[in-house]
Amino acid sequence: MPLIWLALGSPALAEIAARSAPGAAVVIDLQHGLWERGTFEAAVGIAGPRTPVIARTADFSATAIGAALDAGVAAVMAPLVESADDARALASASRYPPQGKRSGGGVRPLLAGIEAMRAANQQVAVGAMIETALGAQNAEAICAAPGIDFIFIGTGDLQLSMSGASPAQLQACCARIRDVAHQNGLPCGLFTSDATAARQAFADGYEIAVVANDIGLAARGFAEALQAAQP
C-alpha cells in the first residue's frame, strides 16, 4: 500500500492528500509532526471518509494509542517497539475488553455506540514499528506477538541506532525483518523518502512504503520553483 506521510499539522493538506490518492493511505505523524489534538481530529474527519488514515502515535502507551483510535483512524502504528512485551502492550492498548485494555470513550466512538466499539476490535489494524538495533534483534518475538497486524520499519531511526553500519548492512537488516514478518503472516512496510524509493521497496517485496511526505514535497517544490525562476 502506498502511504502519504503528513507531519506539518495541516488538515487542509490531509484533505488534498485524501482527494489525490485513491488506493493509498494517509499517515498522520503524531510522534514528530506538528499536530495538535484538534487539528488531528479534524484531519481524520476530513480524510477518513475518502481514504484509510493511519496514526503514527507518539509511543505505545495506552493514552497515546487510545487518543489516536478515539479520533477514528483505521490503524495505528507505534514507534520504537523493541520486544514482545512492547508489542503485547501495544496490541492490548489498541483493543477494548476482553481482547485488550482500551478505554471506552471519545466523541466519535460514543457517537457510533457500543456495538461499533466492539466491532472496532476486529476492524482496527495495529502496526509495530521496528526501528532500533534491539528491535531488529527481537524481530521474531515482536512479529509473533498476538494482536500485531503489520510491521513497519523506521529506516531513519534504525540507521541512527545501527551506528557505523554500511548501507548494505542496513538494507540486509531491513530485509531480515521483512522476511521474519512474512514468516509470521504479516505484511511489512518501509519508510522511504520518495516515489522512486517506494517503487524499489515494492519491487523488493515490501507491501507498504511512503510515496510522498509533506515536508519533502514542500522543500522540493520551493527549491524547484526558485531554481526555475533563475535567469
Side-chain angles (χ1 to χ4, degrees):
M1 171 178 282
L3 302 181
I4 298 177
W5 197 279
L6 302 178
L8 291 177
S10 169
L13 278 179
E15 182 173 5
I16 294 168
R19 287 176 178 270
S20 303
V26 168
V27 176
I28 295 181
D29 187 348
L30 300 174
Q31 183 188 23
H32 294 302
L34 305 181
W35 296 96
E36 298 175 352
R37 182 68 180 266
T39 55
F40 166 57
E41 294 265 354
V44 176
I46 293 167
R50 294 180 177 273
T51 191
V53 177
I54 301 170
R56 194 263 196 106
T57 57
D59 52 46
F60 54 83
S61 68
T63 300
I65 298 297
L69 290 173
D70 285 351
V73 296
V76 289
M77 58 183 184
L80 302 171
V81 175
E82 295 187 305
S83 69
D85 286 343
D86 290 350
R88 285 191 289 267
L90 163 61
S92 179
S94 302
R95 294 184 172 92
Y96 296 112
Q99 290 94 331
K101 296 181 178 180
R102 179 183 171 188
S103 174
V107 174
R108 289 182 177 130
L110 289 175
L111 286 173
I114 191 68
E115 292 306 319
M117 291 185 193
R118 292 192 177 104
N121 279 354
Q122 283 71 49
Q123 295 168 351
V124 169
V126 180
M129 296 188 69
I130 296 179
E131 47 186 349
T132 65
L134 180 57
Q137 179 182 326
N138 291 328
E140 287 85 357
I142 294 169
C143 292
I148 299 300
D149 299 305
F150 67 96
I151 298 297
F152 192 85
I153 303 170
T155 49
D157 277 327
L158 184 59
Q159 186 173 18
L160 287 172
S161 179
M162 295 175 60
S163 179
S166 68
Q169 289 171 319
L170 180 66
Q171 185 177 26
C173 180
C174 292
R176 189 184 76 82
I177 297 169
R178 176 202 62 203
D179 292 345
V180 170
H182 290 172
Q183 289 162 13
N184 284 272
L186 303 179
C188 185
L190 191 71
F191 188 92
T192 44
S193 57
D194 55 31
T196 300
R199 186 166 56 246
Q200 184 60 56
F202 292 135
D204 290 341
Y206 297 92
E207 290 84 5
I208 309 165
V210 179
V211 299
N213 70 81
D214 55 359
I215 296 174
L217 287 175
R220 286 194 296 273
F222 290 136
E224 289 169 4
L226 288 169
Q227 184 176 8
Q230 297 300 315

